[in-house]
Amino acid sequence: MPHTPLDPPLDVEWRKIDAEVFSDHTVLHPPNRLKERATQLIGPRGPGEAEAVHRAERALGMLSQEFASWMDAEIERLEEARKAFATQSSQGAADALYRVAHDLRGQAATLGYPLAGEIAEGLCVFIERLEERPLPQAVVDRHVESIRAIVRQDVRGRDNPLGVALTLRLAQLRAQYAPGIRAE
């Protein structure tokens, strides 16, 4: 007798699996053992693995000391893009400013400055939403100055009321220049 697609393979213990049999197909319900496996905590299996974890943590700690200088370098790139846009308000200069702000938006939280990232994100959204309209230099300047101030004053999270007020004020400024942008 030829093997049909509805016939179970001979090498599988198919009788132990719950199944629903229909006239033209069979639905198998295999047991789900993932939960059993997922709840097992896996830690270092030996002293070698534990040492590797400790070395990685120490390396990360050493790298985190360099985060401030990396953030300063990103702000300097943003300042250069702002100056280039101020001297030549072209689409190319606006695109370059957007790229630097976009990079800063993505890196700021990793480098320990999530509020600076929020401000950079607001600048990116503002540039995107203006589309063909000219980008107001005053709005760009306030964003760049705010990011610089937040890093200089070491304002890191939303637990700083001055930093939160600053991000809210910038959102209101963006909404004032581009009414379709929310001021939240």
Side-chain angles (χ1 to χ4, degrees):
M1 172 182 266
H3 177 75
T4 64
L6 295 178
D7 292 337
L10 298 176
D11 59 342
V12 176
E13 295 184 35
W14 59 275
R15 290 190 172 108
K16 294 181 181 177
I17 297 175
D18 290 335
E20 292 179 77
V21 178
F22 297 93
S23 63
D24 60 343
H25 66 281
T26 302
V27 177
L28 301 176
H29 300 285
N32 185 356
R33 295 191 181 101
L34 181 61
K35 186 175 180 181
E36 297 168 8
R37 294 181 186 146
T39 57
Q40 296 174 356
L41 298 176
I42 299 174
R45 296 183 183 133
E49 285 187 18
E51 179 57 30
V53 169
H54 291 300
R55 281 195 320 266
E57 288 174 348
R58 283 193 304 268
L60 185 59
M62 290 174 17
L63 276 178
S64 69
Q65 295 171 359
E66 296 179 26
F67 285 0
S69 63
W70 291 346
M71 189 65 178
D72 289 341
E74 290 301 314
I75 291 173
E76 200 53 44
R77 284 183 57 221
L78 184 64
E79 182 63 34
E80 289 172 13
R82 183 198 66 79
K83 286 179 183 176
F85 179 75
T87 57
Q88 182 185 14
S89 298
S90 67
Q91 186 61 43
D95 290 345
L97 177 68
Y98 176 85
R99 279 191 304 276
V100 173
H102 187 273
D103 290 348
L104 184 61
R105 170 179 74 174
Q107 296 172 0
T110 301
L111 298 177
Y113 293 94
L115 280 180
E118 284 185 38
I119 294 171
E121 180 177 10
L123 180 57
C124 287
V125 169
F126 185 68
I127 293 170
E128 289 169 359
R129 298 279 168 82
L130 282 181
E131 296 170 352
E132 300 299 318
R133 293 178 283 175
L135 183 60
Q137 185 68 45
V139 176
V140 171
D141 291 344
R142 296 304 83 76
H143 282 77
V144 174
E145 291 164 359
S146 297
I147 292 170
R148 186 178 290 282
I150 278 182
V151 173
R152 183 179 53 240
Q153 296 298 319
D154 200 34
V155 175
R156 294 186 177 261
R158 291 201 140 282
D159 57 341
N160 185 300
L162 188 57
V164 172
L166 182 60
T167 57
L168 180 60
R169 178 62 188 118
L170 288 169
Q172 292 168 346
L173 181 64
R174 290 189 302 269
Q176 179 183 351
Y177 280 89
I181 297 175
R182 295 186 345 191
E184 291 182 38

